[in-house]
């Protein structure tokens, strides 16, 4: 299959900016005042647990993650300046974060052969099981929150390549059998959920990992 035609703004410059609800718009206002042509801002440190959004660590140039107390107002401010607003999405659920218990309790995460949630021993994350239709349906609500309630225009879909070979998926396949299929199911579920939240197609999803078929469900590839 062919990839979908991206919205025109995807082909413009994207600026990464971090530091919080005050600092990011201030930087983008400066770029506008300098007439730098930028289409979108990628602020990956804007964390929202209910939508499983954001990466809360900033490790370069003395910069620090900032607070985003009102994400909807933050995205509205940037939209008012003419920017699309992007964030960080993942299929991972970190055991120490408040949004872990709900999918774990409902059985929506990839499991071990004995039925326990499979937690990566190094990263302390588990993965949503995209072979489970109920898990996919549950995940759709987080996309409505991200793209409708909070006003994001898409972003990066990170990871997707860590499913262990001895994992057990909801459809009966092993992690080995589904290792390369997992990024495809991840991308397809995200694309369908985003399309439901934004039926006009005015969003962008950029994949980190993928396998044959995933190109049908992405705006671009994270290089």
């Amino acid at each position: 299959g062919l990839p979908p035609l991206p919205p025109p703004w995807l082909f413009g410059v994207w600026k990464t900016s971090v530091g919080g609800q005050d600092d990011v718009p201030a930087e983008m206002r400066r770029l506008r005042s300098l007439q730098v042509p930028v289409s979108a801002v990628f602020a990956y440190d804007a964390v929202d647990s209910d939508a499983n959004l954001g990466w809360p660590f900033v490790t370069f140039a003395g910069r620090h993650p900032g607070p985003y107390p009102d994400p909807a107002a933050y995205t509205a401010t940037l939209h008012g300046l003419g920017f699309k607003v992007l964030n960080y999405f993942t299929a991972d659920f970190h055991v120490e974060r408040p949004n872990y218990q709900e999918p774990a309790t409902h059985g929506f995460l990839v499991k071990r052969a004995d039925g326990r949630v499979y937690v990566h021993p190094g990263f302390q994350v588990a993965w949503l099981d995209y072979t489970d239709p109920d898990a996919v349906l549950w995940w759709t609500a987080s996309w409505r929150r991200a793209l409708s309630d909070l006003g994001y225009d898409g972003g990066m879909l990170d990871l997707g390549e860590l499913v262990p070979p001895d994992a057990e998926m909801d459809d009966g396949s092993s992690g080995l059998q589904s290792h390369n299929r997992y990024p495809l199911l991840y991308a397809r579920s995200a694309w369908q959920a985003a399309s439901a939240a934004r039926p006009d197609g005015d969003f962008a999803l950029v994949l980190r990992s993928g396998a044959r078929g995933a190109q049908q469900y992405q705006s671009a590839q994270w290089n």
Side-chain angles (χ1 to χ4, degrees), residues 7-204:
W9 56 264
L10 179 138
F11 298 98
V13 174
W14 296 10
K15 175 69 172 71
T16 298
S17 183
V18 295
Q21 189 160 334
D22 295 327
D23 290 0
V24 172
E27 181 174 20
M28 304 315 287
R29 286 190 182 95
R30 179 171 176 270
L31 292 176
R32 280 287 183 255
S33 70
L34 294 172
Q35 298 184 340
V36 178
V38 177
S39 295
V41 55
F42 174 57
Y44 62 83
D45 64 328
V47 174
D48 183 86
S49 288
D50 290 337
N52 201 35
L53 270 179
W55 182 254
F57 307 108
V58 177
T59 57
F60 64 94
R63 302 293 294 271
H64 302 282
Y68 295 82
D70 190 344
Y74 156 75
T75 59
T77 296
L78 290 168
H79 287 151
L81 296 170
F83 296 105
K84 298 295 184 178
V85 191
L86 308 171
N87 206 327
Y88 172 99
F89 297 82
T90 179
D92 295 8
F93 285 80
H94 293 250
V95 297
E96 79 280 6
R97 296 184 188 173
N99 64 345
Y100 173 80
Q101 286 301 324
E102 185 174 359
T105 301
H106 285 86
F108 293 157
L109 302 175
V110 173
K111 298 178 180 64
R112 293 182 175 272
D114 61 7
R116 292 180 297 151
V117 175
Y118 206 126
V119 177
H120 190 286
F123 298 113
Q124 292 298 294
V125 298
W127 310 275
L128 200 68
D129 188 343
Y130 295 102
T131 72
D132 180 353
D134 290 332
V136 172
L137 183 62
W138 173 83
W139 200 50
T140 299
S142 69
W143 283 92
R144 285 197 301 270
R145 175 170 175 80
L147 301 190
S148 296
D149 300 344
L150 303 185
Y152 288 103
D153 301 296
M156 177 191 186
L157 271 66
D158 198 13
L159 302 167
E161 70 273 14
L162 291 177
V163 173
D166 59 336
E168 294 289 335
M169 313 300 287
D170 183 74
D171 68 351
S173 62
S174 68
L176 180 63
Q177 292 168 321
S178 287
H179 184 272
N180 288 356
R181 185 172 62 125
Y182 186 88
L184 165 62
L185 298 178
Y186 172 26
R188 184 180 70 185
S189 299
W191 188 268
Q192 290 174 345
S195 297
R198 291 283 185 89
D200 61 358
D202 191 21
F203 64 87

